[in-house]
Amino acid sequence: MQTVARGQRRGPGLLITLEGIEGSGKSTQAKRLAAFLRTMGYSTIETREPGGTPLAEKIRSVLLERTTEPFAPETEAFLVFAARRQHMSQVIQPALRRGQIVLCDRFSDSTLAYQGYARGLEIQLLRKMNRIATESIRPDLTLLFDVPVETGLGRRRRALVTNRLDKETARFHRRVRAGFRSLARHEPDRITVINATRNEEAVAAEVSKAVTRVLRRFSGPIPRPSRLAELPRRIRHAVR
């Protein structure tokens, strides 16, 4: 696995990101994983994108609120990168320097999948902009929760609160899913694909195994893979 050298900008912590289409269940699993890591004694921060700081959360509101004014794809991308840069400088980088585990609900791969594969912006240009926003910091592990588009949208459209992206066409979301799967094929050492059509406990058990493999390179106790699946079901979906 290729990772950025752990220098002053990176620090000794771990960055684990959770990705997937709308309704993939990643937000539920992020909360379960955070609780699991804390029971094992790890200092863990839960955050999300777009968002994570007061300013970035305001940008999130602009990006996700339902509006009759169409977004230019470039406008959407610029807003995402602005939120990410603020998030990195104020939350993620300081936590990594402190040696904490950062769990981030969406990160750079979402930008490539949504604004690149689905909106049609140039992938290499998005990668360059992302390197600026992140100072070239990459996740140590990305968990990709994969479900058919019909399954994910069915879950989301039954939710009490929906957002602008939930109302995109099935064709759009199929491009997003195809983008995520393409990214996973090109970076199998970093991106672990999780079959998220199964029940919550089965998904959690697979998440635990994937995270445990990364924790073996991290100081501290190594969790038992079975423990994550035993956590109580008390999690609600986030906005995205």
Side-chain angles (χ1 to χ4, degrees):
M1 180 184 298
Q2 294 181 351
T3 56
V4 174
R6 296 182 182 278
Q8 183 178 2
R9 292 181 177 179
R10 174 61 196 253
L14 282 179
L15 175 58
I16 300 174
T17 59
L18 299 92
E19 300 281 11
I21 65 169
E22 311 301 314
S24 62
K26 60 182 175 48
S27 300
T28 296
Q29 293 296 330
K31 291 182 181 296
R32 291 183 69 112
L33 177 56
F36 169 66
L37 289 169
R38 288 179 183 129
T39 66
M40 301 306 296
Y42 292 104
S43 179
T44 305
I45 288 181
E46 301 172 67
T47 189
R48 66 179 184 179
E49 287 208 353
T53 79
L55 177 56
E57 288 290 331
K58 290 180 180 178
I59 298 174
R60 177 189 180 91
S61 296
V62 171
L63 281 164
L64 295 185
E65 69 182 8
R66 297 169 67 178
T67 176
T68 57
E69 180 180 359
F71 268 66
E74 295 84 359
T75 300
E76 192 175 63
F78 293 152
L79 288 171
V80 167
F81 286 126
R84 180 166 301 142
R85 181 63 210 133
Q86 189 70 10
H87 190 204
M88 289 294 299
S89 65
Q90 298 300 312
V91 175
I92 294 178
Q93 286 172 289
L96 294 176
R97 291 177 191 135
R98 291 192 297 266
Q100 295 178 292
I101 297 178
V102 179
L103 301 181
C104 191
D105 186 341
R106 295 200 183 282
F107 196 61
S108 303
D109 295 300
S110 277
T111 309
L112 299 178
Y114 280 83
Q115 283 73 52
Y117 286 88
R119 299 289 190 210
L121 296 182
E122 183 185 344
I123 296 294
Q124 291 308 314
L125 177 60
L126 292 174
R127 290 186 186 276
K128 290 178 182 178
M129 295 175 68
N130 189 65
R131 284 195 290 271
I132 295 172
T134 63
E135 294 191 17
S136 297
I137 290 174
R138 300 170 68 251
D140 295 280
L141 171 68
T142 296
L143 301 167
L144 173 57
F145 296 87
D146 186 51
V147 295
V149 167
E150 293 73 19
T151 301
L153 291 184
R155 292 173 179 174
R156 285 298 302 141
R157 287 169 181 169
R158 289 193 299 269
L160 295 177
V161 179
T162 58
N163 60 56
R164 182 175 63 89
L165 292 177
D166 294 324
K167 300 303 179 182
E168 290 281 359
T169 65
R171 182 181 179 185
F172 171 86
H173 290 288
R174 281 193 286 271
R175 290 197 297 265
V176 173
R177 185 190 184 202
F180 277 130
R181 290 163 69 94
S182 177
L183 292 169
R185 286 192 299 271
H186 284 89
E187 293 190 70
D189 291 340
R190 173 175 67 87
I191 303 176
T192 297
V193 180
I194 307 288
N195 177 1
T197 62
R198 297 165 298 168
N199 65 57
E200 192 175 307
E201 286 72 24
V203 173
E206 189 171 349
V207 168
S208 176
K209 292 178 182 178
V211 172
T212 298
R213 287 194 293 269
V214 173
L215 289 173
R216 290 196 179 103
R217 300 193 300 275
F218 187 63
S219 61
I222 298 174
R224 290 181 297 142
S226 61
R227 290 287 301 280
L228 181 57
E230 298 168 4
L231 289 176
R233 297 185 58 172
R234 57 176 182 267
I235 310 301
R236 295 193 309 126
H237 279 279
V239 176
R240 286 192 61 192

